[in-house]
Amino acid sequence: MDVEFLKYKFRDGYNGVITKTKWRVGVRHVQVTYMLLCAAALGALRASAGVALLALTDTSRRNDSYVQMTAGGEGERGAALWAFFSGYALALLPAELYLPRLGDKFVITAVLLINGSLTALMPTIVNKGSWTALCNAYFLMGMTQPCIAPVNRALLDNWLPPIERQTAACIIDTGSYVGMIVALPASGWLSGSRLGWELIAYAQATLALSLAVLWALLTAASPEQHHACPDAEREYIKEASAGYRKKMQRVPWRSMLRCRRVAGLALAHAANNALFVFYLVDVPLYLKSTGLSLQQCGVQAMMPFICLLTLFATTAPTLRCLLKSNLMAHLFNVTYTKIVVNVLGSVPIVAGLAMSPNMPEQWSYLRLCVLTVTLGLLAFQYSGFIENVRDLSENYRGMLIAITSAFASVLGAAVPLVTGIILRNHQNETDAWRVVFCCMAGLYGVCSTAGGAAGGAGFALWDRTGGRDFAYHNTGLSPEDASQLELLDMYPKKPMAATPSETIS
């Protein structure tokens, strides 16, 4: 077999070998497009929840709408959002652990059907039920949200050759943020109609249910199950993935959870997630308290997320290139440099949160700029977090992100609840918002500083417990190809043994 082999680092950080083949567009890229649309739809559902509840409790439109407005205060709105994000936090870790083994497309179909059905029934739940019924509905919707990401990764493993998987995963993850960006102004615009908040619910239901039908009818779990996939593309995917299977690794739970650097990562991730949730669900309410309409609130609440996505798309690869070039290692101590950069990155965010509620009402554009830049700076923290995960572990990066995400989701779920308790019926008072922003600034500053102080450099000892850093094997290669790899010193015959300093007694 005349094949050219290239050394490659896979999505989870594993070293391996890929075959150099010509890139072709096919049915697999249509599948990635449907995954992108589903991720964008669920991101839109997540972002529009805060605006929909804000429109639901907007009693100023009692005589300007066909639908009934609920007399609930900020406490009830915060409880409903807490139910949504707590359901997300509760289901996140089990979904990451067990759903990748399933990898079936009907999981995503079920997620879309549940979210679409509940949003379609939301007007009935509100009009015939109570805030308790609304919280239960949001809790169930939140539990379904984390199920889509692990299933998407499993489907990508089935559909794409290894060299295309990382790029496709990044595109799909970006789709979730794009859905949030589009949903914020769209929800504000829909809330201004005569149907008010009910039109937001019906639009959400239409989007989710339509995608559920398209996904169920036009996609498949693998190329072998897709009737429109040509034989040539099936053979291409099969041959490109034939030599790779993921090594079954036993996760060192005890050593991982007792690691100081893992605790630091969890704190840093929690700080970032708390700020993200605050901007997603509470900043539109703050903008409305300054005298803006819901349509204006949706547009202005969108600006910080555009800034965040743009900066992250540029800073993450730039930082990665700098670290790969070893330029920073020659000039500075990497460990202390990361700590200093983390602290310096958190100071402007804390300052921006403290400044925003203290600006005069006529400085609306300056306030928007401060809010936008504050969330945009979170891109640097996200980039640093990803590099810290890569620096800590090579074999368990996905599990590390799942653990820290679960902890961060618990803290993020508490943000709307605490905000609702502080504001209660004082959401239009500047002093109450000063307390909210100062609490958010203090929480972010403490968690981010503690997480940076607990950081370090180099792989952890428990990362090498398996005695080998190859997690993909080329067992499907012929003897001639295997001998060619041995000559290139890219595929050793024996497993790589751990060094004495890496061995854990």
Side-chain angles (χ1 to χ4, degrees), residues 323 326-341 388 391 456-458:
L323 292 176
N326 291 326
L327 179 63
M328 296 178 64
H330 288 297
L331 299 178
F332 309 103
N333 182 290
V334 178
T335 303
Y336 293 107
T337 300
K338 288 183 178 181
I339 295 176
V340 172
V341 170
N388 286 333
D391 195 29

Side-chain angles (χ1 to χ4, degrees), residues 286-287 290 292 300 355-371:
Y286 167 68
L287 294 173
T290 61
L292 300 178
Q300 293 195 12
M355 289 171 55
S356 298
N358 293 296
M359 291 184 177
E361 185 177 349
Q362 57 270 23
W363 293 7
S364 57
Y365 290 105
L366 181 60
R367 180 174 56 246
L368 177 61
C369 291
V370 171
L371 289 172

Side-chain angles (χ1 to χ4, degrees), residues 117-142:
S117 302
L118 287 175
T119 50
L121 294 173
M122 200 63 68
T124 304
I125 294 173
V126 172
N127 296 329
K128 302 297 183 181
S130 62
W131 279 99
T132 303
L134 181 65
C135 291
N136 291 331
Y138 270 106
F139 180 78
L140 183 57
M141 289 173 61

Side-chain angles (χ1 to χ4, degrees), residues 413-426:
V415 169
L417 181 63
V418 174
T419 302
I421 293 174
I422 295 174
L423 293 178
R424 278 294 177 180
N425 297 320
H426 308 285

Side-chain angles (χ1 to χ4, degrees), residues 225-247:
Q225 300 176 16
H226 199 292
H227 300 292
C229 186
D231 294 337
E233 186 173 5
R234 291 177 185 173
E235 290 299 321
Y236 166 70
I237 299 171
K238 184 177 180 180
E239 290 179 3
S241 306
Y244 314 106
R245 63 179 178 86
K246 195 169 182 179
K247 184 179 69 175

Side-chain angles (χ1 to χ4, degrees), residues 34-88:
Y34 283 122
M35 294 181 197
L36 173 65
L37 292 175
C38 293
L42 291 178
L45 290 175
R46 196 180 313 151
S48 58
V51 180
L53 289 173
L54 188 58
L56 173 63
T57 57
D58 187 10
T59 56
S60 62
R61 294 196 60 205
R62 286 184 182 274
N63 300 323
D64 188 31
S65 177
Y66 291 125
V67 300
Q68 178 182 354
M69 300 299 174
T70 303
E74 180 56 26
E76 289 78 5
R77 177 179 176 272
L81 292 171
W82 169 79
F84 180 86
F85 288 104
S86 60
Y88 184 95

Side-chain angles (χ1 to χ4, degrees), residues 4-314:
E4 182 180 356
F5 295 96
L6 300 174
K7 193 172 183 179
Y8 186 73
K9 186 176 285 294
F10 288 88
R11 181 184 64 214
D12 296 329
Y14 304 123
N15 295 320
V17 179
I18 60 172
T19 56
K20 185 177 180 181
T21 55
K22 185 178 179 181
W23 187 84
R24 308 183 184 105
V25 178
V27 176
R28 64 187 186 278
H29 300 108
V30 179
Q31 303 297 301
V32 173
T33 303
Y34 283 122
M35 294 181 197
L36 173 65
L37 292 175
C38 293
L42 291 178
L45 290 175
R46 196 180 313 151
S48 58
V51 180
L53 289 173
L54 188 58
L56 173 63
T57 57
D58 187 10
T59 56
S60 62
R61 294 196 60 205
R62 286 184 182 274
N63 300 323
D64 188 31
S65 177
Y66 291 125
V67 300
Q68 178 182 354
M69 300 299 174
T70 303
E74 180 56 26
E76 289 78 5
R77 177 179 176 272
L81 292 171
W82 169 79
F84 180 86
F85 288 104
S86 60
Y88 184 95
L90 182 65
L92 193 149
L93 195 56
E96 291 288 344
L97 289 174
Y98 299 109
L99 286 183
R101 304 176 187 177
L102 187 60
D104 196 276
K105 73 164 190 173
F106 292 107
V107 175
I108 299 180
T109 306
V111 169
L112 292 171
L113 287 175
I114 291 173
N115 281 270
S117 302
L118 287 175
T119 50
L121 294 173
M122 200 63 68
T124 304
I125 294 173
V126 172
N127 296 329
K128 302 297 183 181
S130 62
W131 279 99
T132 303
L134 181 65
C135 291
N136 291 331
Y138 270 106
F139 180 78
L140 183 57
M141 289 173 61
M143 289 189 67
T144 62
Q145 289 273 332
C147 298
I148 188 171
V151 176
N152 273 341
R153 290 195 295 269
L155 291 175
L156 288 178
D157 290 341
N158 294 337
W159 269 99
L160 298 181
I163 196 171
E164 298 180 11
R165 292 172 190 169
Q166 187 173 5
T167 303
C170 292
I171 293 174
I172 293 172
D173 291 340
T174 303
S176 178
Y177 287 94
V178 173
M180 295 180 190
I181 291 172
V182 174
L184 285 170
S187 300
W189 178 75
L190 292 174
S191 66
S193 66
R194 299 287 289 179
L195 286 177
W197 65 270
E198 289 192 3
L199 186 57
I200 299 177
Y202 294 139
Q204 292 174 339
T206 303
L207 176 63
L209 294 176
S210 300
L211 277 176
V213 174
L214 290 176
W215 177 266
L217 296 178
L218 302 179
T219 65
S222 64
E224 290 75 15
Q225 300 176 16
H226 199 292
H227 300 292
C229 186
D231 294 337
E233 186 173 5
R234 291 177 185 173
E235 290 299 321
Y236 166 70
I237 299 171
K238 184 177 180 180
E239 290 179 3
S241 306
Y244 314 106
R245 63 179 178 86
K246 195 169 182 179
K247 184 179 69 175
M248 298 302 295
Q249 295 175 307
R250 183 178 179 182
V251 180
W253 289 103
R254 185 176 180 182
S255 301
M256 188 182 294
L257 295 177
R258 294 174 63 183
C259 181
R260 174 178 58 88
R261 291 171 61 187
V262 173
L265 284 175
L267 287 174
H269 198 173
N272 297 337
N273 189 64
L275 183 63
F276 187 89
V277 172
F278 177 73
Y279 265 79
L280 189 63
V281 299
D282 289 331
V283 167
L285 177 62
Y286 167 68
L287 294 173
K288 187 174 183 298
S289 69
T290 61
L292 300 178
S293 63
L294 277 177
Q295 293 88 337
Q296 294 172 322
C297 291
V299 173
Q300 293 195 12
M302 170 188 66
M303 299 300 179
F305 292 96
I306 295 178
C307 182
L308 173 63
L309 182 59
T310 304
L311 287 178
F312 181 71
T314 54

